[in-house]
Amino acid sequence: MKINSPLEAYKFLPGTNCGQCGETSCMAFASHLIDRSLQATDCIPLIEEKKYKKKYDELVTLLAPEIREVVIGVGDNAISIGGDDVLHRHKLTFFNKTALAYDVWDTMEEADLVERVNKIQDFKKFYVGDYLTLDMIAVRSVSNDPEKFAATVKKVMETTDFPMVLCSFEPAVLRAGLEVAAEKRPLLYAANKDNWQEVAALAQEFNVPVTVFAPNDLDLLKSMAKTFADNGIEDVVLDPGTFPTGKGLKTTLNNFLKIRRAGINGDRDIAFPIMAVPFTAWMAHDDEVSASYWETVVASIFTIKYGDIMIMHSIEPYALMPQLHIRDTMYTDPRKPVTVDPAVYEIGSPTADSPLLVTTNFALTYYTVESDLSSNGVDCYLTAIDTDGIGVEAAVAGGQLTAAKIKKGLDDAGFDMEKLTHKVIVLPGLAARLQGDVEDETGAGVMIGPADSGRLPGWMELNWPPQK
Amino acid sequence: MSNKMKLSGLTDILKDLDVQSLEGVTIEGDIELDISGGGGLNPAMAYALGHEAAQISMHVANIARMLGYPVDQLFASAMGGVPQQAPVAGASRIPELLPTKFDVSKMSEWATPIQEVTLGATSADGGSRKNTVTLGGENALPYYFDAEMPHRNYVTMDVFDMPIGMAKSVKENYGDVINDPADWAKKVVKDFNADMVTIHLVSTDPLINDTPAREAAKVVEDVLQAVKVPIVIGGSGNPKKDPEVLERAAEVAEGERVLLASASLNLDYERVAKAATDHGHAVLSWTQLEINAQKELNRKLMKQCNVPRDSIVMDPTTAALGYGLDYAYTNMERIRLAGLMGDDELTFPMSSGTTNAWGARESWMKESPLKQDSDWGPREYRGPIWEIITGLTLSLAGNDMFMMMHPTSVQVLKEITQTLYGSIEAEEIDITKWIGAEV
């Protein structure tokens, strides 16, 4: 983005405060343009009225992200990568989370292929109100046989709507894959120093995004990207090579750092999304656990440092879970609030016999507890105490979760203990040391719940209702 | 061919064909390309002009083709070859790569080095440690090409003065030493390659065993006897008791230059700071995910308590992967960037309680408590990698020292951070063959 203050964006808006965008003023709209929560197309007069055409065009150019955006796939499953404007997430936020692709190959038995594709597309993990899931299938040509490759691509398409990466350095193989899959807009992998003319021609002919691969040669990488872009192939992804071990890995990290810094600093010729291939860890490790671990370690480095799309092999849960979580970690918008409002929340349909539970107002803690309770059908009152957005264990250690705070939280929420038949407060296991204080402060009975809210349903079975 | 094309019309035709303007090139009536380069052409300029000329000829050829002339045969015979493949609409071959160089500047704003802090003292300095550990000294974000990182990352492994609750896969490594902190310390150094040992005096908490400070100090002496690496001494986290416990511990560890963990805003940090300065130790400045609180505490330690700059390490708090690591990462990254850019209240090395990763249910729970989730697989493999990724993430934010628990996590984290640091050699792998790899 070439501008960074709402005032600069405001100059290009109608200035009529018409409110059609849903904002109260053009200035308010301008600030949303700068934080990228709204787009120029959301201003209706700007796109509909001819007299604003020039301003609109200028504004769109100024607002375009520094790193180009590339779309892979079509329809609901299409995935955008790139589009970033900053080097550090606290400066704004990172956009378009890293796309995670997992491989299949063209020498697999059909049944194995289908099973593996299904495992990839079905993997899901619930987290803060939603599921974390994987994104793409990378089809590797191991046989080098165009027909086999095309058949594998076809089978993948029949099995899933996930977008694909078609992987071969052999143009004839890529062509065979494209003839089957071009309409699904797969990503081509890859043009290299030997085949780039033919692969470029394929990208043009089939109008699909394409990866350029120049291991540890940033001059060549930039040269290919620039050549492609200047010839109308603008959907380019950069693979500077992922060396999985030793000095090669250090060099790889620095290649990523250099490319992204140059791109954010305004070098348009290298301002494309970057691909990492943690898969290469499998070329350095023999046993599966070591390879999966190292692949996950490499994937994490490049999720944190500028990888926009990645190809992996392990689909073991102990690899997928941290990969999904580290991606969520980096792409969570740091501007979104850390806390929920302190209050007594009703989970399910609580009655006078239902338990009264205590947790903190740290959003992650609250939503974790809330989902553990609601997904297991536990009816209860859940009190979010204002701990300045700090989790239970740390808040007990730091003095943000105390008996006085719990009393105040209940009072401020206007919660009447008298309406409960049991007059009992259930504290988190990690706040057990507050038991005596809370009894003294509130006059209620106190029970100590489990240290992890995932165990609340089981704990309820054993301990609720409390014995008189 | 009855149609005669007027060359004067060529520019207009080219315009319709969307040819970009040709600076320095004009097309004369007699089909001369007048190239005004002014004092000779450099190769890049010549190349660019050649490219434009080729573009023109291509468009002119297209016009000829539209007029029905068999252009391709003509070109084929003129170039002495045959057309390579059937012409495809819009997919003419790009003749050459555009020559260009990649270049990127170093960060000029990173002008302030991070303070170096040395822990442990050898006999030369009046201690009995076999080696010291120096943290900090960076001039850039970790592993960045802008400046060499002077010291690698270090791992200090946790030892407790009483048996505590631990995840099963952690506990099974310590079953034989769980009742003896000295043996436990020996084990983490000898068997698990710990760079340092942290002795946590958790039993001193009045709500646990209320072990008197004097007794706890004996445990510190035992650990100092048992191992020769630098040590960290942690209290129980009880803000009323910790100052007294750390005072006693600092006293018996005099000369060894330990790290006292920790001073914080919610306890009498002056007493902890004084215990450190009186006995020549360093102090851990612990705050909770809040950069301004970190500045405030560091300022108080320096100005109010006169702790020397070379004796402060920060712990800005570690939240586990999936449980607030985004805050912990960004908090550390902001602290480090501020330090490098000259905020002298934040130019200190950092430490992470990476063991906190074991608080995440993903690391220890047998299976997901949510029925909708995919199978979580064996927890023996989930736990260590949760600790590894939590630590690795913070290492990229600038964290220098890791307090850790599981031997596998320690081994892998040391390998990855030292790989990024540049001290691990490995056989080179031909990654150009990855697509066809049999795995």
Side-chain angles (χ1 to χ4, degrees), chain A residues 336-342 361-364 367 386-390, chain B residues 327:
Chain A
K336 92 176 183 200
V338 188
T339 57
V340 296
D341 291 336
N361 74 328
F362 179 38
L364 282 167
Y367 286 118
D386 183 0
T387 58
D388 305 328
I390 292 172
Chain B
Y327 307 116

Side-chain angles (χ1 to χ4, degrees), chain A residues 16-336:
Chain A
T16 53
N17 301 332
C18 71
Q20 289 183 69
C21 58
E23 297 300 316
T24 51
S25 68
C26 290
M27 189 54 97
F29 181 78
S31 68
H32 284 291
L33 292 178
I34 295 302
D35 72 19
R36 290 182 56 177
S37 56
L38 288 174
Q39 296 173 337
T41 48
D42 294 318
C43 175
I44 292 158
L46 203 58
I47 47 173
E48 284 189 351
E49 291 180 40
K50 247 203 164 118
K51 62 179 173 183
Y52 296 130
K53 172 86 171 91
K54 193 161 165 270
K55 283 189 165 184
Y56 171 78
D57 290 343
E58 283 176 277
L59 184 59
V60 167
T61 310
L62 290 171
L63 291 174
E66 293 298 337
I67 305 302
R68 300 189 212 205
E69 227 164 26
V70 171
V71 178
I72 304 163
V74 290
D76 290 346
N77 285 291
I79 284 174
S80 296
I81 58 173
D84 277 315
D85 264 319
V86 292
L87 289 170
H88 304 289
R89 62 189 286 276
H90 65 269
K91 297 276 190 189
L92 182 66
T93 183
F94 288 154
F95 293 90
N96 295 332
K97 61 189 181 177
T98 309
L100 306 179
Y102 296 83
D103 78 321
V104 298
W105 50 102
D106 67 354
T107 50
M108 292 179 89
E109 295 296 329
E110 188 178 304
D112 296 342
L113 174 67
V114 170
E115 189 193 340
R116 186 170 166 88
V117 170
N118 280 327
K119 273 191 183 162
I120 295 165
Q121 70 172 338
D122 292 342
F123 191 86
K124 60 176 182 169
K125 181 175 185 293
F126 193 77
Y127 183 63
V128 197
D130 206 353
Y131 286 103
L132 304 177
T133 55
L134 312 177
D135 306 299
M136 303 175 78
I137 307 282
V139 188
R140 293 190 292 128
S141 165
V142 173
S143 70
N144 249 348
D145 175 346
E147 272 178 46
K148 273 196 170 166
F149 188 70
T152 306
V153 171
K154 189 155 179 283
K155 196 74 215 166
V156 173
M157 283 167 65
E158 286 167 15
T159 315
T160 182
D161 289 327
F162 271 25
M164 289 179 290
V165 189
L166 306 185
C167 305
S168 175
F169 292 121
E170 185 53 62
V173 171
L174 290 176
R175 170 174 286 279
L178 283 170
E179 277 166 358
V180 178
E183 75 205 44
K184 298 284 187 190
R185 203 178 154 74
L187 172 65
L188 283 186
Y189 185 99
N192 62 19
K193 65 176 174 12
D194 302 317
N195 70 9
W196 67 268
Q197 282 167 307
E198 289 148 289
V199 175
L202 287 172
Q204 278 179 323
E205 180 183 343
F206 291 95
N207 189 27
V208 289
V210 59
T211 314
V212 293
F213 175 58
N216 199 22
D217 186 345
L218 298 185
D219 289 337
L220 176 62
L221 193 71
K222 180 173 170 179
S223 179
M224 283 203 279
K226 181 175 167 53
T227 305
F228 280 33
D230 283 10
N231 283 280
I233 308 168
E234 300 212 24
D235 292 326
V236 172
V237 175
L238 310 171
D239 180 0
T242 303
F243 295 88
T245 51
K247 297 248 163 59
L249 181 55
K250 183 181 174 69
T251 305
T252 303
L253 171 63
N254 276 290
N255 285 338
F256 276 61
L257 299 175
K258 287 174 181 174
I259 292 170
R260 187 48 47 92
R261 185 186 293 173
I264 295 288
N265 287 350
D267 182 349
R268 290 289 288 162
D269 294 335
I270 197 82
F272 294 96
I274 315 176
M275 175 187 283
V277 185
F279 178 98
T280 55
W282 287 83
M283 302 169 85
H285 288 273
D286 292 331
D287 79 284
E288 279 199 18
V289 177
S290 303
S292 294
Y293 259 53
W294 201 253
E295 182 179 54
T296 301
V297 163
V298 173
S300 300
I301 292 170
F302 295 112
T303 303
I304 296 163
K305 290 296 180 184
Y306 312 135
D308 298 291
I309 177 170
M310 293 197 284
I311 299 177
M312 272 84 66
H313 177 67
S314 178
I315 55 168
E316 291 296 328
Y318 62 83
L320 300 181
M321 287 166 62
Q323 287 167 19
L324 284 167
H325 273 289
I326 192 62
R327 175 176 71 171
D328 189 81
T329 297
M330 297 313 297
Y331 284 85
T332 295
D333 190 338
R335 299 167 297 178
K336 92 176 183 200

Side-chain angles (χ1 to χ4, degrees), chain B residues 4 20 33 37 53 74 89 114 136-137 139 141 198 212-213 226 248 253 276 283 288 340 394 402 408 410 423 432:
Chain B
K4 212 169 183 171
Q20 283 153 1
L33 289 181
L74 175 73
I114 303 304
N139 288 283
L141 283 179
T198 304
R248 284 286 182 179
V283 64
Q288 289 178 288
L340 291 170
L394 297 179
F402 299 86
T408 303
V410 171
S423 59
T432 63

Side-chain angles (χ1 to χ4, degrees), chain B residues 193-342:
Chain B
N193 199 22
D195 297 310
M196 294 177 56
V197 169
T198 304
I199 173 69
H200 296 277
L201 303 169
V202 287
S203 76
T204 58
D205 191 328
L207 297 174
I208 301 178
N209 287 350
D210 204 11
T211 305
R214 191 183 304 270
E215 259 177 61
K218 282 192 71 81
V219 175
V220 172
E221 287 179 299
D222 292 346
V223 170
L224 282 167
Q225 285 286 326
V227 296
K228 294 293 156 206
V229 295
I231 72 164
V232 182
I233 301 171
S236 66
N238 183 299
K240 291 200 183 72
K241 183 81 176 277
D242 271 2
E244 184 196 345
V245 171
L246 294 176
E247 276 168 356
R248 284 286 182 179
E251 216 176 292
V252 299
E254 170 143 335
E256 301 290 2
R257 193 158 173 79
V258 305
L259 178 65
L260 290 183
S262 10
S264 71
L265 289 167
N266 66 32
L267 52 61
D268 191 347
Y269 55 83
E270 274 191 275
R271 282 178 71 185
V272 179
K274 188 164 185 304
T277 48
D278 282 358
H279 303 286
H281 302 307
V283 64
L284 188 63
S285 169
W286 172 57
T287 56
Q288 289 178 288
L289 296 175
E290 167 50 49
I291 191 169
N292 292 313
Q294 189 69 61
K295 278 171 70 78
E296 183 189 343
L297 180 57
N298 293 351
R299 183 164 62 239
K300 285 178 164 159
L301 291 175
M302 288 188 288
K303 299 274 156 62
Q304 182 185 335
C305 312
N306 297 312
V307 179
R309 293 187 63 87
D310 68 0
S311 300
I312 296 175
V313 177
M314 303 182 281
D315 177 358
T317 293
T318 292
L321 175 61
Y323 295 85
L325 182 59
D326 45 336
Y327 307 116
Y329 171 84
T330 282
N331 188 46
M332 273 195 176
E333 189 182 42
R334 289 180 62 197
I335 287 172
R336 177 51 50 91
L337 286 171
L340 291 170
M341 291 192 279

